[in-house]
Amino acid sequence: MKVGILREGKTPPDKRVPLTPQQCVEVQQTFPHVSIVVQPSPIRSYKDEEYSASGIALKEDLSDCDVLLGVKEVRIGDFLPGKIYLFFSHTIKKQAYNRKLLQTVLAKNIQLVDYEVLTDKEGFRIIGFGRFAGLVGAYNGFRAFGLKYDLFNLKPAHECEDLEEMLQHLDEVKLPPIKIALTGDGRVAHGVLEILNHMNIMRVSPEAYLNDEEPEQAIYVQLLPGNYAKRIDGEPFDLLHFFNNPTMYENSFHPFTQATDMLIASAYWDPKSPVLFTADEMKNDNFRIAVISDITCDIEGSIPSTKRAATIADPFYDYNPQSGELEEAFSNPNNVSVQAVDNLPCELPKDASLDFGRNLIEKVFPSLFGDDTDGIIQRASITKDGALTEKFSYLQDFADGK
Ligand SMILES: NC(=O)c1ccc[n+]([C@@H]2O[C@H](COP(=O)([O-])OP(=O)(O)OC[C@H]3O[C@@H](n4cnc5c(N)ncnc54)[C@H](O)[C@@H]3O)[C@@H](O)[C@H]2O)c1
């Protein structure tokens, strides 16, 4: 079986790779019937020379490959008919900008396996870049805090060589006794927790957090849906019920808006569930949150100040709570300063790729290159044999242009 690693074609260019040079070697050793070639690229964080030095062939024409691996969306004109493609297609929510991509994949009889829907038997996602979104999102939050109060000036994450360097910069930070709230407990939140724990910030319970108005040292609290949403009918909170009936809930985050200096938003937000707080609440004198690292980055979603996504080159902006307008980052101490980069893992492309490739090798390739007994590849195939698979048949009207 021949596997090709695609050159990323999106703008701005994405430096991540699905497999590092060393991992390509490992794959060929672990699965002896698999051989890997790499399409040359000037932008990858792992250079062409590193692949060839590892004995992996560089090849422009991938038409003799069976499987093609990318990271982000493939350019429409680059699709090769009849192949198996793995990449993040961003089509499952009927994203209009990728309608043509889905139509092309169908017309070219491609089996599209989307990383986003690769799940284990229990239905849990098995691969993604969430951890790195959490690591970089938390770092960017502290960077914003340092810049806002002129306390420290952290080097941008994307200028760091790797995660190790980024963590070293955090070691130099002397944090005042601030209060930090983190939402969520998924992959992103765990990346955030790695940073908070690396900085030896003290974790406290939600009750202790609310009671301790002026702590002696920086503290943080991790908030789960039961801490920030409650049932409108007064019945006790039930997580599964919340996921399935989000409209039956209202937000209960209010006390934390008055007790938090920095919010790191890392919980998935269902648009049908309550927002964390409103623009009106942000106008109140007792609204204490001064810095928001919104890793979820839902535009006008659960956090009203996230009015647009920011970029890696220009990651921060201020939100003026009185006018509801965006202003230049750190331009007024009364503003709320926001980090809202929507492609955070790209700031540490080498480490993020290493992590991703490891998961591919351990959790996906045994099924892709062997027997798919657990149905991992089957469940994540959006298209096959020129049609949508049953699970994704709800995309038919979208694919038909309706
Ligand atoms: N900014 C970026 O670069 C970037 C990168 C990756 C992910 N993200 C975003 O971060 C968010 C979290 O991603 P993740 O990988 O940690 O997700 P995840 O599925 O691993 O975890 C989501 C967590 O959100 C909470 N949650 C609240 N309501 C929920 C609901 N209705 N359904 C499911 N979970 C719910 C739960 O605590 C859950 O553990 C997502 O919105 C994702 O799009 C952003």
Side-chain angles (χ1 to χ4, degrees):
M1 189 183 276
K2 209 155 179 189
V3 176
I5 295 188
L6 296 160
R7 172 170 56 239
E8 294 300 313
K10 277 206 87 163
T11 317
D14 198 307
K15 296 180 178 173
R16 292 173 294 175
V17 296
L19 289 173
T20 69
Q22 223 25 63
Q23 288 173 339
C24 289
V25 175
E26 182 184 337
V27 170
Q28 294 187 145
Q29 284 166 353
T30 314
F31 306 95
H33 63 296
V34 171
S35 70
I36 302 181
V37 293
V38 174
Q39 205 169 35
S41 163
I43 50 133
R44 286 193 189 104
S45 51
Y46 293 89
K47 302 292 166 215
D48 289 348
E49 304 78 63
E50 296 177 64
Y51 284 98
S52 30
S54 302
I56 306 300
L58 296 168
K59 203 157 170 274
E60 184 59 39
D61 178 10
L62 302 179
S63 53
D64 63 344
C65 290
D66 309 286
V67 176
L68 295 163
L69 301 176
V71 179
K72 296 300 279 277
E73 292 101 314
V74 174
R75 276 199 299 224
I76 306 287
D78 291 347
F79 280 110
L80 297 167
K83 310 287 181 197
I84 300 173
Y85 275 80
L86 281 83
F87 62 97
F88 286 102
S89 76
H90 300 293
T91 53
I92 59 166
K93 293 182 190 160
K94 304 189 179 182
Q95 290 94 325
Y97 60 98
N98 282 330
R99 188 198 304 266
K100 187 96 190 42
L101 181 148
L102 186 61
Q103 290 169 337
T104 309
V105 161
L106 285 164
K108 293 204 167 183
N109 197 18
I110 282 162
Q111 181 174 352
L112 165 57
V113 181
D114 193 315
Y115 298 129
E116 199 176 347
V117 285
L118 279 164
T119 52
D120 62 17
K121 277 189 285 188
E122 279 75 43
F124 291 108
R125 275 187 64 185
I126 54 179
I127 194 158
F129 285 101
R131 176 180 168 228
F132 277 84
L135 291 166
V136 177
Y139 181 87
N140 285 0
F142 286 111
R143 190 168 164 242
F145 197 90
L147 291 169
K148 185 177 178 81
Y149 296 107
D150 211 6
L151 290 171
F152 45 85
N153 191 349
L154 283 167
K155 186 175 176 177
H158 69 97
E159 288 177 18
C160 295
E161 179 58 26
D162 53 18
L163 176 61
E164 197 182 328
E165 185 192 337
M166 195 183 90
L167 294 177
Q168 276 167 13
H169 293 301
L170 281 179
D171 292 340
E172 290 148 27
V173 166
K174 297 235 175 328
L175 209 58
I178 60 167
K179 297 175 69 175
I180 302 162
L182 144 76
T183 57
D185 67 347
R187 282 172 298 266
V188 170
H190 279 95
V192 174
L193 285 170
E194 280 186 57
I195 294 291
L196 298 174
N197 295 335
H198 178 87
M199 294 173 78
N200 290 319
I201 301 174
M202 192 164 90
R203 181 186 177 121
V204 297
S205 69
E207 296 72 30
Y209 184 86
L210 291 176
N211 288 335
D212 196 353
E213 278 181 29
E214 302 294 338
E216 283 175 11
Q217 55 174 302
I219 57 172
Y220 82 85
V221 67
Q222 180 178 15
L223 300 174
L224 307 183
N227 302 116
Y228 56 77
K230 64 173 190 223
R231 264 178 85 148
I232 296 169
D233 62 10
E235 290 294 313
F237 184 88
D238 174 67
L239 191 64
L240 259 183
H241 185 270
F242 170 66
F243 288 167
N244 293 326
N245 306 279
T247 53
M248 291 179 69
Y249 287 76
E250 61 187 353
N251 100 50
S252 58
F253 186 75
H254 188 68
F256 295 96
T257 64
Q258 303 176 10
T260 297
D261 299 295
M262 179 161 119
L263 168 65
I264 308 179
S266 323
Y268 174 84
W269 178 70
D270 180 335
K272 292 198 251 13
S273 65
V275 296
L276 273 186
F277 44 83
T278 63
D280 274 344
E281 279 182 270
M282 292 183 80
K283 288 183 182 161
N284 288 344
D285 284 345
N286 55 15
F287 185 89
R288 178 165 158 182
I289 305 173
V291 172
I292 300 177
S293 176
D294 187 359
I295 306 181
T296 33
C297 203
D298 294 311
I299 308 308
E300 312 228 352
S302 63
I303 297 176
S305 46
T306 304
K307 293 182 74 140
R308 65 167 173 84
T311 61
I312 290 175
D314 190 10
F316 309 122
Y317 53 77
D318 270 10
Y319 174 81
N320 179 332
Q322 300 315 321
S323 69
E325 297 297 326
L326 297 187
E327 295 177 4
E328 197 186 322
F330 319 121
S331 53
N332 183 332
N334 296 323
N335 285 344
V336 176
S337 298
V338 177
Q339 99 75 35
V341 173
D342 62 357
N343 57 344
L344 290 162
C346 297
E347 295 211 42
L348 287 180
K350 282 195 144 179
D351 295 274
S353 301
L354 199 65
D355 228 42
F356 189 79
R358 174 69 22 228
N359 279 319
L360 271 183
I361 293 172
E362 288 174 9
K363 298 181 182 159
V364 181
F365 287 174
S367 303
L368 183 66
F369 302 143
D371 290 333
D372 188 21
T373 39
D374 287 343
I376 286 177
I377 304 300
Q378 182 217 321
R379 276 194 304 277
S381 295
I382 296 178
T383 61
K384 201 177 174 185
D385 303 326
L388 290 163
T389 57
E390 199 188 328
K391 187 174 160 202
F392 295 95
S393 56
Y394 71 91
L395 292 173
Q396 193 63 55
D397 58 344
F398 172 64
D400 291 341
K402 288 179 193 155

